[in-house]
Amino acid sequence: MYKENEKNYNILVAVEETSISNNAIEYAFDLCSRLKDSYSLSIIYVIALNPETNVPFLHNLDKANNLDILLDAKEAVNKIREYLKKFDNTYPNVQYDLIEHKGYGVVGKILTEYISQNQLDLNLLIVGSRNLDGLQKVVLSSTSDYLARHVHCPVTIVKQ
């Protein structure tokens, strides 16, 4: 039952199939287990597909690459589901849902668009970080930094 003075926190965790994301998931479950107010915890896996081109040969390559991406994503999501099972025992009172979201382009932009269209009441985004610095951050880019600069809510970056 929803009480008028009760706050409902909406928390989203962006994940991939890495130990860095596992740290972010663990952080989110621990946080939610300590909240006194109601919350909604969603875990999102973004599938970043290649935009299709109008060049005939490249168009077919993009389709083939996207099929590979989708197959890899299916395997990754299954591993994430398996990892999440451990929290069903450790944090039995923490409820969550797993979202698979497909888009074209890079993960940061896809996730930012998803949040602006589907999570207008988001209170917190949790992401993992590889601890890139200096030139590594420029060359490899940092999704967590991109999200911190472009989403409309607070972002917690869980370091490796």
Side-chain angles (χ1 to χ4, degrees), residues 15-123:
V15 299
E16 55 188 13
E17 183 204 345
T18 64
S19 62
I20 298 161
S21 287
N22 291 349
N23 293 343
I25 291 170
E26 195 165 326
Y27 178 89
F29 271 84
D30 183 58
L31 174 68
C32 289
S33 72
R34 291 192 262 150
L35 286 175
K36 302 293 183 224
D37 295 322
S38 63
Y39 65 88
S40 167
L41 175 61
S42 297
I43 299 166
I44 187 166
Y45 180 84
V46 174
I47 303 167
L49 300 169
N50 294 319
E52 295 182 6
T53 61
N54 292 327
V55 179
F57 178 69
L58 293 178
H59 178 72
N60 289 334
L61 279 177
D62 287 335
K63 280 186 172 182
N65 285 338
N66 284 344
L67 287 175
D68 286 342
I69 291 169
L70 290 170
L71 287 172
D72 290 345
K74 185 175 183 177
E75 185 177 323
V77 168
N78 286 337
K79 288 180 181 177
I80 291 166
R81 283 185 203 284
E82 196 62 36
Y83 181 75
L84 287 169
K85 285 182 183 178
K86 93 175 203 178
F87 295 100
D88 294 340
N89 295 326
T90 311
Y91 297 100
N93 296 326
V94 175
Q95 302 296 308
Y96 64 92
D97 61 316
L98 178 60
I99 301 165
E100 297 174 53
H101 180 70
K102 295 177 204 162
Y104 291 94
V106 295
V107 171
K109 288 182 181 179
I110 295 168
L111 188 53
T112 302
E113 289 172 9
Y114 173 84
I115 290 169
S116 68
Q117 294 171 4
N118 301 292
Q119 298 275 333
L120 295 175
D121 58 349
L122 188 63
N123 298 105

Side-chain angles (χ1 to χ4, degrees), residues 20-21 24 127-132 142 144-145 157-160:
I20 298 161
S21 287
V127 295
S129 174
R130 295 177 286 176
N131 296 336
L132 299 177
S142 173
S144 58
D145 283 349
I157 300 173
V158 180
K159 298 289 185 173
Q160 184 174 20

